[in-house]
Amino acid sequence: SQTIHQWPATLVQPVGSPLSLECTVEGTSNPNLYWYRQAAGRGLQLLFYSVGIGQISSEVPQNLSASRPQDRQFILSSKKLLLSDSGFYLCAWSAWTGTNEQYFGPGTRLTVT
Amino acid sequence: QKEVEQDPGPLSVPEGAIVSLNCTYSNSAFQYFMWYRQYSRKGPELLMYTYSSGNKEDGRFTAQVDKSSKYISLFIRDSQPSDSATYLCAMSGLYNNNDMRFGAGTRLTVKP
């Protein structure tokens, strides 16, 4: 069966510091990968998605970037965090076959102070 | 107008009640519909998905889609305290990777 991992679970960082959040998927090959941010009462906002190694599409201009160095690894980064980057970050995967169900990881709660 | 509208609640029901959760949407290109359950401080968990109008049943859960009215529902029968969570609807076109849209979520509490 497939499993998706995210770490860290919780992170408190000062403004201006760098960020690196990691997501890995087990039990599937060539998944589509997604980064979302969830704000209270506002649903899920798609930040980045990837259909393959090195292929990243950005949905929203922002202070963040994403990379996919390996087939089942997805990384969300920032060089300098802003207060507005605080939120709950979720990684998700879907099968490359085109079925649309997305499966989410446990999330990382980021607080920028 | 938002593409997906979902009443945020909160919704509070007694144990054993039938719960009805709803979403409306405006984009007729949406063909694939999903419901997620999210416990506090956890990632969303896929409950049900369907791509056709009508009803789909899975245990105590029934997903209903009315494409003509652009309206989807999730019914929970014999609700349990463990059903207390936020429920998110989601929808997308067929065969697309990046067009999934989510409702804001309805917070449900089932009281023993």
Side-chain angles (χ1 to χ4, degrees):
Chain A
S1 65
Q2 298 85 12
T3 309
I4 180 168
H5 303 278
Q6 283 186 248
W7 64 90
T10 306
L11 192 59
V12 180
Q13 292 283 92
V15 168
S17 63
L19 173 75
S20 181
L21 303 181
E22 189 165 343
C23 170
T24 59
V25 181
E26 296 176 356
T28 187
S29 296
N30 197 26
N32 298 321
L33 296 172
Y34 311 83
W35 278 112
Y36 288 89
R37 178 166 54 204
Q38 186 176 34
R42 297 183 63 182
L44 287 143
Q45 179 187 36
L46 179 63
L47 302 175
F48 300 95
Y49 76 98
S50 172
V51 299
I53 295 174
Q55 300 179 63
I56 310 292
S57 295
S58 174
E59 292 296 304
V60 181
Q62 62 219 325
N63 186 40
L64 303 169
S65 62
S67 62
R68 185 170 177 173
Q70 300 181 43
D71 181 44
R72 289 170 287 180
Q73 183 185 29
F74 206 22
I75 296 172
L76 184 69
S77 304
S78 174
K79 292 182 179 178
K80 289 186 177 182
L81 283 169
L82 307 172
L83 284 174
S84 57
D85 292 323
S86 294
F88 192 45
Y89 288 83
L90 290 157
C91 181
W93 72 273
S94 65
W96 67 273
T97 53
T99 57
N100 288 25
E101 308 96 86
Q102 293 183 18
Y103 299 91
F104 287 86
T108 295
R109 188 160 300 278
L110 172 66
T111 302
V112 182
T113 60
Chain B
Q1 181 187 11
K2 291 182 181 178
E3 282 189 288
V4 181
E5 298 274 5
Q6 183 176 10
D7 187 340
L11 182 62
S12 181
V13 301
E15 183 176 354
I18 297 175
V19 176
S20 173
L21 304 166
N22 311 295
C23 288
T24 59
Y25 62 97
S26 59
N27 189 345
S28 58
F30 291 145
Q31 298 293 322
Y32 210 73
F33 304 93
M34 284 146 282
W35 285 96
Y36 289 85
R37 176 176 62 195
Q38 186 175 23
Y39 292 113
S40 181
R41 308 183 79 84
K42 304 291 184 183
E45 170 194 9
L46 180 63
L47 274 179
M48 297 187 72
Y49 60 91
T50 181
Y51 54 87
S52 58
S53 286
N55 294 350
K56 181 178 181 180
E57 191 172 316
D58 184 2
R60 296 186 295 111
F61 298 90
T62 299
Q64 187 176 79
V65 174
D66 182 348
K67 290 184 181 179
S68 62
S69 301
K70 297 189 178 66
Y71 189 90
I72 68 171
S73 300
L74 178 70
F75 298 97
I76 307 174
R77 292 184 299 279
D78 188 24
S79 56
Q80 303 295 310
S82 58
D83 295 327
S84 298
T86 296
Y87 290 81
L88 303 166
C89 64
M91 50 199 75
S92 71
L94 288 176
Y95 313 122
N96 290 322
N97 297 316
N98 65 330
D99 71 343
M100 186 172 292
R101 297 292 181 261
F102 291 82
T106 300
R107 181 176 292 182
L108 171 68
T109 300
V110 181
K111 296 186 175 180

